[in-house]
């Protein structure tokens, strides 16, 4: 990064990751120039961010008249066309893709086509189209640096992927780790949103409660690091200190550790390959941490993990289907329409009926995603 400021755009600046990314940048103001900030519905916050950071562009999901008057000199953009315009701007050195859901996929592809490095938080991008995205990034010589803490950990551990035998992805286990299956099945929205370690957006928090988040992360890891599903292991580690590990062929295990904070992986991804002091609440102490526990995931309580391995192994549109069905079911749970365990039951049912398309194009991926969502909503209305 040297003396030159790194030019960055943040898609999803009003979200959990986006807000924390701006906190990281606050600590490293002389290292970054913000080209664009993009959010969804939270126009009030987006407006405040635009006033504070004075980017060249600001983008919301739909037209909001209050944004137009925000600060003179800032171009106001809207919707997917706005995200496309941001990601086509070759001025960007890096784009942090921190929107939630499928909206992250197309802008990521556009940024790759324009040779812009990606700091990737949006795991749906790889779950939906990992083969295409990684191939395009490779062809374009674009770095995809993971923000997801487990993948960021693995990225930091790997020197030579060809020497790696196994990836070990840690999972906190979420709020129901030591609760009974019945407790979990009858959980309220508030209980499911009460994550013991991480403060995240609602969708990913519910996925963490069902462990679907870990399933999605296994698929994400498969694409990012090109590892077979047989060589990706999930281990529950409630303290969230070991963020993940790799085992080399010779039996050496390298893990990345740290206090649980998303500031660190976000900073790593947007400053890669350099490191700076940045936000660090306190220095790490093994003695303070005192103990680290590990256990196998209970696949009866968390069958989502098995389902994700199955979808990943089938490949093609299987992961598109699983992701879309799960997301619709999570939204239904958040609206109070279904019980927590019904998220898995719905996803498994829709998945079972899906006829896999082996190598779908991006347009087919969006078509399948749409069809699955309609089917899932119909299924949830009928049952
Ligand atoms: P949040 O729900 O907190 O934030 C989502 C962001 O996306 C918000 O800025 C939201 O805008 C924006 N957004 C949603 N829909 C649109 C749209 N149609 N157009 C433009 N912007 C949109 O989620 P998180 O920050 O928790 O997660 C973001 C991504 O990062 C997810 O893919 C998640 O899986 C991943 N991730 C998150 C982690 C975390 O710790 N939070 C950890 C690892 C990965 P608005 O709020 O203004 O509507
Ligand atoms: Mg994670």
């Amino acid at each position: 990064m040297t003396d030159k400021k790194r030019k960055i755009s943040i898609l999803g600046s009003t979200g959990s990751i986006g807000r924390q990314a701006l906190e990281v940048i606050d600590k490293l103001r002389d290292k970054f120039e913000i080209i664009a900030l993009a959010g969804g519905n939270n126009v009030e916050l987006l407006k405040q961010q635009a006033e504070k950071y004075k980017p060249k562009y600001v983008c919301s999901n739909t037209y909001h008249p209050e944004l137009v008057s925000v600060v003179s000199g800032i171009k106001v953009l809207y919707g997917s066309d706005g995200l496309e315009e941001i990601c086509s701007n070759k001025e960007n050195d890096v784009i942090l893709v921190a929107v939630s859901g499928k909206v992250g996929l197309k802008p990521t592809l556009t940024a790759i086509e324009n040779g812009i490095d990606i700091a990737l938080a949006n795991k749906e991008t790889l779950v939906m189209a990992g083969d295409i995205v990684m191939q395009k990034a490779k062809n374009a010589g674009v770095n995809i640096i993971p923000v997801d803490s487990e993948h960021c950990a693995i990225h930091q551990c790997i020197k030579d992927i060809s020497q790696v035998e196994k990836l070990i992805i840690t999972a906190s286990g979420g709020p129901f780790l030591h609760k009974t299956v019945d407790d979990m099945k009858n959980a309220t929205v508030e209980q499911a949103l009460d994550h013991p370690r991480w403060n995240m957006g609602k969708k990913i928090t519910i996925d963490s409660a069902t462990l679907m988040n870990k399933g999605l992360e296994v698929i994400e890891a498969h694409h990012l690091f090109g590892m077979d599903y047989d060589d990706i292991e999930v281990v529950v580690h409630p303290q969230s200190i070991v963020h993940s590990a790799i085992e080399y062929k010779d039996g050496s295990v390298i893990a990345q550790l740290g206090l649980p904070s998303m500031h660190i992986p976000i900073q790593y991804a947007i400053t890669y390959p350099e490191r700076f002091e940045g936000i660090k609440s306190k220095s790490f102490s093994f003695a303070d941490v005192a103990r680290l526990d590990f256990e196998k995931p209970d696949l009866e309580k968390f069958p989502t993990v098995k389902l994700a391995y199955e979808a990943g192994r089938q490949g093609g549109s299987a992961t598109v289907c699983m992701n879309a069905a799960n997301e619709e079911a999570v939204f239904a749970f958040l609206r109070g329409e279904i019980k927590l365990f019904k998220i898995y039951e719905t996803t498994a049912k829709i998945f079972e009926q899906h006829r896999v398309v082996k190598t779908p194009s991006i347009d087919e991926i969006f078509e399948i995603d749409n069809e699955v969502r309609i089917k899932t909503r119909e299924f949830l209305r009928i049952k």
Side-chain angles (χ1 to χ4, degrees), residues 3-6 25-32:
D3 293 343
K4 213 174 127 248
K5 283 192 178 184
R6 200 166 220 216
I25 290 173
D26 283 342
K27 278 274 180 183
L28 300 170
R29 277 314 265 145
D30 58 332
K31 309 280 183 219
F32 286 99

Side-chain angles (χ1 to χ4, degrees), residues 123 148-151 204 213-214 217:
K123 58 190 81 184
D148 213 346
S149 58
E150 298 76 5
H151 308 75
I204 184 173
N213 183 48
K214 223 34 65 178
E217 289 183 356

Side-chain angles (χ1 to χ4, degrees), residues 201-320:
K202 284 186 179 172
K203 155 70 172 50
I204 184 173
T205 305
I206 300 304
D207 282 346
S208 300
T210 62
L211 245 65
M212 176 55 95
N213 183 48
K214 223 34 65 178
L216 297 175
E217 289 183 356
V218 167
I219 299 166
E220 191 185 0
H222 161 80
H223 289 296
L224 277 169
F225 306 110
M227 294 293 282
D228 283 350
Y229 285 97
D230 288 347
D231 302 326
I232 305 174
E233 186 180 297
V234 171
V235 65
V236 173
H237 166 48
Q239 292 92 353
S240 298
I241 295 291
V242 176
H243 298 308
S244 279
I246 62 174
E247 183 179 346
Y248 279 103
K249 284 180 176 161
D250 61 3
S252 265
V253 176
I254 314 279
Q256 188 260 341
L257 284 75
L259 297 172
S261 156
M262 281 310 293
H263 287 127
I264 297 170
I266 292 169
Q267 182 173 313
Y268 175 85
I270 64 175
T271 63
Y272 181 81
E274 292 188 71
R275 290 188 189 257
F276 300 96
E277 203 168 316
I279 300 179
K280 196 171 60 167
S281 52
K282 57 177 181 167
S283 196
F284 185 80
S285 154
F286 272 105
D288 285 352
V289 170
R291 62 178 282 179
L292 300 172
D293 297 300
F294 300 93
E295 59 187 88
K296 287 198 167 152
D298 176 346
L299 296 180
E300 195 204 333
K301 195 154 93 184
F302 302 115
T304 48
V305 179
K306 253 195 317 198
L307 185 65
Y309 270 98
E310 174 61 26
R313 286 191 172 104
Q314 287 189 22
S317 65
T319 56
V320 180

Side-chain angles (χ1 to χ4, degrees), residues 12-20 38-42 61 83 98-101 103 121-124 148-149 199-202 204 262:
S13 63
T14 50
S16 161
I17 293 287
R19 281 180 274 120
Q20 292 178 87
N41 283 316
N42 192 346
N61 59 348
L83 296 179
V99 287
S100 52
V103 71
N122 178 264
K123 58 190 81 184
E124 294 86 342
D148 213 346
S149 58
N199 188 5
M200 311 174 283
K202 284 186 179 172
I204 184 173
M262 281 310 293

Side-chain angles (χ1 to χ4, degrees), residues 127-128 131 219 222-223 229 307-322 351 354-360 368:
V127 171
M128 290 175 74
D131 290 333
I219 299 166
H222 161 80
H223 289 296
Y229 285 97
L307 185 65
Y309 270 98
E310 174 61 26
R313 286 191 172 104
Q314 287 189 22
S317 65
T319 56
V320 180
C321 167
M322 187 197 71
F351 180 73
H354 181 65
R355 287 191 50 204
V356 176
V357 178
K358 265 291 162 205
T359 49
I368 293 165

Side-chain angles (χ1 to χ4, degrees), residues 136 233 340:
K136 277 191 188 281
E233 186 180 297
L340 187 70

